[in-house]
Amino acid sequence: MNVWIAIAATALGCYLAKLLGLLVPAGALDRPLVKRLAALLPVALLAALTAQQTFSTGHHVLIDARAAGLAAAAAVALLLRAPFLVIVAAAVLATAGVRALGG
């Protein structure tokens, strides 16, 4: 029964968050600061998620083959301005190469 309570509470919370977003006045969303924050916030959240997934295992900071894959992806993205799939392929190949070498 506790699972259903959690599901109902989550559904209600999601509904209230969406309703709260709809109740924000349009004038508040047209401010330059709000527009700039709305553009930068997803990038910051994605960077934080990438760093957390790359450099941690459980409660420990760990630098392993995933860091090499991230570095390769960043290099390909910055230097070559390659398409997304090429960047992912570079990260996969770099990670696999480091792991194959025993890292």
Side-chain angles (χ1 to χ4, degrees), residues 11 24 65 81-82:
V24 174
R81 298 189 187 271

Side-chain angles (χ1 to χ4, degrees), residues 23-79:
L23 294 176
V24 174
L29 299 176
D30 289 334
R31 295 180 182 165
L33 178 64
V34 174
K35 286 184 177 182
R36 192 169 27 153
L37 285 176
L40 295 177
L41 192 61
V43 175
L45 289 173
L46 182 59
L49 178 63
T50 301
Q52 191 270 334
Q53 291 291 318
T54 301
F55 299 114
S56 71
T57 301
H59 296 290
H60 305 292
V61 175
L62 180 68
I63 296 179
D64 60 1
R66 295 176 292 176
L70 180 63
V76 170
L78 290 174
L79 297 176

Side-chain angles (χ1 to χ4, degrees), residues 62-103:
L62 180 68
I63 296 179
D64 60 1
R66 295 176 292 176
L70 180 63
V76 170
L78 290 174
L79 297 176
L80 302 178
R81 298 189 187 271
F84 180 70
L85 289 177
V86 174
I87 293 169
V88 171
V92 167
L93 291 173
T95 303
V98 170
R99 286 185 178 164
L101 294 173

